[in-house]
Amino acid sequence: EAGVAQSPRYKIIEKRQSVAFWCNPISGHATLYWYQQILGQGPKLLIQFQNNGVVDDSQLPKDRFSAERLKGVDSTLKIQPAKLEDSAVYLCASSSLRSPINYGYTFGSGTRLTVV
Amino acid sequence: QQPVQSPQAVILREGEDAVINCSSSKALYSVHWYRQKHGEAPVFLMILLKGGEQKGHEKISASFNEKKQQSSLYLTASQLSYSGTYFCGTGGGAQKLVFGQGTRLTINP
């Protein structure tokens, strides 16, 4: 089966600019996650969708980050305006069932964002 | 609450064994283990659910001790391909997986 697709693979922007990332999960996977991974750290959950509804966005900096999952399939994550500390790899993952905690996540290759 | 992994880094020769530990201050419902190679996405290795079971995957196995709120990953007769950073992810009954800070494993020939 096709994996989780993400684009772009790399992005360099200046601080205060905006940027958007796109993710297409594995077909049929109801749960989609966006994680932020800062160099040398473990992935940190930003937002979790179940179909097109938000399950958890408690760690999403809502003053600058936004995410949507229209039609319960692909998703976009936006940062506006970007700060230097947003430099990280943004990983999208998906999981198939209503109880995703019981099953492994499939991650995409990620988008490496550098804010200068 | 982020789980704590130990050690932070391990260097082995090919064929040696390794143990990576993951501890949580909260009651655990499940523990996930992932391996991430440099510049790549994390890859799912295995999951252990509440019940204290031990699972195996080729020469990689793991245990889950609910009472101690910890899990251990065992790598036996390590191969060069085992190199990477290993992450545990822990979750409670309300879902939401929280990852540890990672353990970097280097296997030398």
Side-chain angles (χ1 to χ4, degrees):
Chain A
E1 62 180 2
V4 175
Q6 286 189 249
S7 67
R9 190 68 197 274
Y10 305 93
K11 191 74 177 178
I12 301 174
I13 62 171
E14 294 182 350
K15 59 183 179 183
R16 292 187 289 274
Q17 284 187 325
S18 63
V19 64
F21 312 126
W22 175 81
C23 171
N24 189 276
I26 291 175
S27 177
H29 278 196
T31 311
L32 184 148
Y33 315 81
W34 283 102
Y35 280 86
Q36 179 193 58
Q37 187 174 27
I38 293 173
L39 187 64
Q41 299 182 17
K44 183 183 93 171
L45 180 67
L46 292 176
I47 189 167
Q48 176 181 340
F49 291 96
Q50 182 78 18
N51 296 309
N52 59 347
V54 176
V55 173
D56 189 321
D57 63 356
S58 57
Q59 296 194 89
L60 187 74
K62 297 180 186 66
D63 58 333
R64 298 185 300 105
F65 285 64
S66 65
E68 60 181 8
R69 189 183 184 196
L70 300 176
K71 299 180 183 178
V73 182
D74 54 352
S75 174
T76 56
L77 176 71
K78 297 179 182 178
I79 307 175
Q80 182 179 11
K83 293 185 176 181
L84 296 177
E85 59 260 36
D86 298 333
S87 294
V89 175
Y90 290 84
L91 294 164
C92 178
S94 69
S95 182
S96 63
L97 297 179
R98 287 187 179 182
S99 298
I101 200 78
N102 293 346
Y103 296 87
Y105 296 1
T106 302
F107 284 86
S109 298
T111 296
R112 182 177 297 275
L113 174 67
T114 303
V115 183
V116 297
Chain B
Q1 192 81 15
Q2 184 181 37
V4 177
Q5 291 184 230
S6 63
Q8 289 191 341
V10 184
I11 300 175
L12 300 175
R13 287 187 178 274
E14 197 174 7
E16 293 182 335
D17 301 340
V19 179
I20 300 172
N21 300 303
C22 174
S23 298
S24 173
S25 59
K26 295 176 69 174
L28 295 179
Y29 174 77
S30 70
V31 179
H32 291 213
W33 284 98
Y34 292 78
R35 176 171 61 211
Q36 185 176 32
K37 292 186 180 286
H38 183 69
E40 299 180 11
V43 174
F44 173 70
L45 293 176
M46 66 186 76
I47 182 172
L48 298 101
L49 299 177
K50 190 175 178 179
E53 63 182 298
Q54 183 154 349
K55 278 197 169 183
H57 177 74
E58 297 181 341
K59 295 180 181 177
I60 302 175
S61 62
S63 63
F64 180 19
N65 189 318
E66 292 169 54
K67 288 185 178 179
K68 293 185 177 180
Q69 295 172 184
Q70 67 184 35
S71 177
S72 296
L73 185 72
Y74 308 94
L75 299 103
T76 306
S78 57
Q79 305 170 14
L80 295 176
S81 61
Y82 288 0
S83 291
T85 301
Y86 289 76
F87 293 99
C88 69
T90 58
Q95 303 178 24
K96 184 173 178 178
L97 198 64
V98 180
F99 286 93
Q101 81 280 16
T103 296
R104 178 175 290 184
L105 177 64
T106 303
I107 310 293
N108 293 320

